[in-house]
Amino acid sequence: MANDNLKVLNALDIAKTQWYHFTAIIIAGMGFFTDAYDLFCISLVTKLLGRIYYHDFGDDKPGSLPPNVSAAVNGVAFCGTLSGQLFFGWLGDKMGRKKVYGMTLMLMVICSIASGLSFSNEPTAVIATLCFFRFWLGFGIGGDYPLSATIMSEYANKKTRGAFIAAVFAMQGFGILTGGMVACIVSAGFKSKYPAPAYEDDALRSTVPQADYVWRIILMFGSVPALMTYYWRMKMPETARYTALVAKNAKQAAADMSKVLQVELEPEQEKAVEKQQNTFGLFSKQFLKRHGLHLLGTTSTWFLLDIAFYSQNLFQKDIFSAIGWIPPAKTMNAIQEVFKISRAQTLIALCSTVPGYWFTVFFIDRIGRFAIQLMGFFFMTVFMFALAIPYHHWTQKENRIGFVVMYALTFFFANFGPNATTFVVPAEIFPARLRSTCHGISAASGKAGAIIGAFGFLYAAQNQDKTKTDKGYPPGIGVKNTLIVLGVVNCLGMLFTFLVPESNGKSLEEMSRENEDEAEELGVEVRANENRTIPV
């Protein structure tokens, strides 16, 4: 079955790890660095936006974004990301990975800068401008998901492919960490230069006019790393698998890969043209039979993961405030509050988020994707219930450090678990001509979960006592019950993991079963259980 594989693809599968592999990780990874920075930095400045633009004079609490505005600011980028994942995923299979790759990055650069600008100082104009450009920022970010994963999977050898794709995704951790650090540095600088009293001491003077620059600088900084890698993205050749299997030009594929990888490749133009006579589309019965359950597995697990993961990430400031790790808003001035929130996020990212990603990079090709994903969902469930059931215990002042440790462990096992594997697997198990599209569909399903987490958590986590809710919000089910719901969601993710096939150590053609088309044409019998779901 494998004997008829194109030699250029076999050469890629057995190629030794080379400098260009690491270059590709950095080029693709910086896109994800920017993605994470842009998506999560908004949570650091939403309270500041509320103080600046929605302050009610005479109120004993600082201004806060109204529920509908807060939901829009936090969630609009995810709506754009979902759209971008579907559109650019499809376009990457139609036009080629390289042609689309530069479009997404330039869109991210332009919209990162523009999201820090506004046409007026009126609240409505500022928020409308912010939401408009963050939607298109998300649209560009969305394209980076299927394209980066597909490009890295198609460049990598089969021995270390999982680690390479996971390393690209791991740059997300550094993006989250950098977002917190940039916010800390900017807010500390402004706090030192423009000292202000706490809100309870002087409500009006607690928010200095210069605070309006703080959130703009933090948001606009996201354009810097993306801009730095644009040139190198444009220099990357098209992947050999797209050129050979989709564009059907093995001669060009061999020439492209010979330039960047130290391997001798013999082009086989005729075989490439003859290959895949019996192609099938995304909505065909044959695709449903071969990959239907796989697509259900990748979409459902990513969807369930992101409900929990993004609600935790975007609203950790609210959780930290609820347990008293961040002081009450009225005891701080506006810039001081940004500093406290960003410091908390930086500590969580440094101690749990970043290590979790790199544990996955180290172990994914040793113990496999299935084991890591199942383990991650299991421990996320355990720690979520451990936080939720004795929630009152964790709110006691002497137990707050324990809460933070447990909360950090849920992040660790999200990243040393399904947050990484849900990104890796869809780039490995689908045919080359549909790989970017299917990854985009899986990722878009995840972002649908993120939207539910972003919008739903805002309301669900509100106190059940109407007098203790945030201004403008109806009573919710409380943080405790919300954490229980997230625990149940993680448990469902564990169950749906059994639909996801193990791809460790297999070539992309084995996993996508593209070799079976060749074998059937030659009359070779193919075993139906070649791609069993659960590894044995």
Side-chain angles (χ1 to χ4, degrees):
M1 180 169 61
N3 290 338
D4 286 359
N5 228 344
L6 290 171
K7 288 183 180 179
V8 64
L9 306 186
N10 283 333
L12 287 173
D13 279 335
I14 62 175
K16 293 180 179 179
T17 300
Q18 299 171 25
W19 178 248
Y20 190 76
H21 287 125
F22 295 105
T23 304
I25 289 171
I26 294 170
I27 294 170
M30 287 308 288
F32 262 88
F33 177 100
T34 305
D35 297 350
Y37 182 98
D38 288 331
L39 285 178
F40 293 113
C41 69
I42 193 67
S43 66
L44 303 174
V45 298
T46 49
K47 286 186 179 289
L48 178 61
L49 289 170
R51 285 191 184 234
I52 295 172
Y53 297 110
Y54 291 91
H55 171 64
D56 287 336
F57 292 98
D59 200 331
D60 61 344
K61 289 182 180 180
S64 61
L65 297 178
N68 60 328
V69 174
S70 183
V73 169
N74 282 293
V76 70
F78 293 132
C79 297
T81 303
L82 188 155
S83 305
Q85 286 163 337
L86 293 172
F87 176 73
F88 286 115
W90 168 79
L91 202 62
D93 283 333
K94 293 298 179 185
M95 293 179 57
R97 292 43 161 144
K98 179 189 175 180
K99 289 180 181 177
V100 183
Y101 212 24
M103 298 181 200
T104 62
L105 198 69
M106 190 49 61
L107 189 58
M108 288 156 56
V109 169
I110 293 169
C111 293
S112 286
I113 295 170
S115 63
L117 306 174
S118 60
F119 303 127
S120 170
N121 59 1
E122 290 298 315
T124 304
V126 171
I127 298 301
T129 305
L130 177 62
C131 288
F132 176 82
F133 285 113
R134 281 193 65 78
F135 175 86
W136 291 108
L137 171 65
F139 194 72
I141 288 172
D144 225 49
Y145 275 73
L147 292 170
S148 290
T150 301
I151 285 171
M152 201 65 242
S153 72
E154 293 180 345
Y155 270 126
N157 60 57
K158 65 182 180 181
K159 184 179 179 182
T160 57
R161 185 180 64 237
F164 287 166
I165 305 172
V168 170
F169 194 63
M171 295 299 287
Q172 190 179 75
F174 288 121
I176 296 171
L177 177 63
T178 303
M181 291 174 63
V182 168
C184 276
I185 293 168
V186 172
S187 58
F190 273 80
K191 184 161 67 83
S192 175
K193 180 71 174 177
Y194 306 104
Y199 183 88
E200 60 185 359
D201 296 329
D202 190 331
L204 187 61
R205 291 177 56 238
S206 67
T207 305
V208 295
Q210 292 80 6
D212 195 42
Y213 294 110
V214 172
W215 68 270
R216 298 174 189 272
I217 293 170
I218 292 170
L219 295 186
M220 293 169 74
F221 185 84
S223 64
V224 175
L227 197 58
M228 288 169 60
T229 54
Y230 181 78
Y231 171 78
W232 298 107
R233 278 203 182 187
M234 294 298 93
K235 295 281 285 183
M236 291 179 79
E238 182 58 84
T239 69
R241 282 184 164 89
Y242 182 86
T243 305
L245 298 178
V246 184
K248 297 181 180 177
N249 188 344
K251 185 176 182 180
Q252 184 62 48
D256 287 343
M257 290 303 99
S258 295
K259 292 176 184 176
V260 295
L261 296 176
Q262 297 170 5
V263 288
E264 291 296 326
L265 302 175
E266 297 178 18
E268 296 178 280
Q269 183 67 37
E270 294 79 11
K271 194 178 290 182
V273 174
E274 293 171 4
K275 189 175 173 67
Q276 292 188 0
Q277 298 289 328
N278 184 28
T279 58
F280 52 86
L282 179 65
F283 300 106
S284 65
K285 289 183 179 179
Q286 198 169 357
F287 178 87
L288 185 64
K289 182 180 177 181
R290 285 193 181 187
H291 301 292
L293 282 178
H294 297 163
L295 188 59
L296 176 61
T298 58
T299 53
S300 59
T301 50
W302 208 335
F303 172 78
L304 293 165
L305 164 76
D306 276 7
I307 291 175
F309 183 75
Y310 279 88
S311 61
Q312 280 180 267
N313 249 310
L314 284 173
F315 304 106
Q316 58 182 270
K317 64 183 183 299
D318 302 303
I319 292 174
F320 291 150
S321 296
I323 65 162
W325 206 41
I326 295 175
K330 66 181 181 180
T331 65
M332 300 179 283
N333 64 48
I335 297 176
Q336 186 181 8
E337 187 175 33
V338 175
F339 178 80
K340 295 276 188 180
I341 292 169
S342 55
R343 185 181 64 177
Q345 177 168 304
T346 302
L347 289 172
I348 289 291
L350 187 63
C351 298
S352 64
T353 305
V354 172
Y357 282 114
W358 291 97
F359 265 69
T360 300
V361 172
F362 184 78
F363 285 107
I364 194 167
D365 290 314
R366 290 171 169 81
I367 64 177
R369 290 77 162 140
F370 179 86
I372 289 177
Q373 183 161 312
L374 196 67
M375 174 197 68
F377 269 127
F378 173 77
F379 281 110
M380 287 173 71
T381 304
V382 168
F383 287 117
M384 207 64 87
F385 284 137
L387 288 172
I389 295 170
Y391 180 71
H392 179 72
H393 167 81
W394 297 117
T395 60
Q396 304 301 309
K397 190 172 183 178
E398 62 273 14
N399 300 322
R400 288 171 184 169
I401 297 299
F403 180 95
V404 173
V405 171
M406 298 278 279
Y407 188 69
L409 284 170
T410 65
F411 276 108
F412 176 81
F413 282 106
N415 297 310
F416 181 33
N419 193 39
T421 54
T422 52
F423 176 80
V424 172
V425 174
E428 300 180 307
I429 64 177
F430 298 108
R433 64 189 178 280
L434 299 171
R435 186 169 291 138
S436 180
T437 301
C438 290
H439 194 287
I441 292 170
S442 302
S445 177
K447 279 302 166 284
I451 291 167
I452 291 173
F455 288 96
F457 194 92
L458 273 170
Y459 294 88
Q462 293 298 315
N463 200 294
Q464 292 171 296
D465 184 347
K466 189 175 182 179
T467 62
K468 296 181 180 179
T469 62
D470 290 340
K471 185 178 179 181
Y473 287 88
I477 60 175
V479 174
K480 175 179 177 175
N481 292 327
T482 303
L483 291 174
I484 291 174
V485 171
L486 295 180
V488 172
V489 167
N490 290 327
C491 189
L492 289 173
M494 189 165 51
L495 296 176
F496 277 98
T497 295
F498 286 90
L499 296 176
V500 180
E502 177 58 76
S503 52
N504 191 24
K506 296 179 180 179
S507 74
L508 297 180
E509 287 66 46
E510 282 181 90
M511 287 307 304
S512 64
R513 296 168 66 179
E514 287 172 288
N515 286 338
E516 290 188 13
D517 293 331
E518 284 186 85
E520 287 165 5
E521 287 171 11
L522 295 173
V524 178
E525 184 182 348
V526 180
R527 288 177 297 169
N529 66 344
E530 184 91 13
N531 259 353
R532 68 181 74 232
T533 298
I534 305 173
V536 295

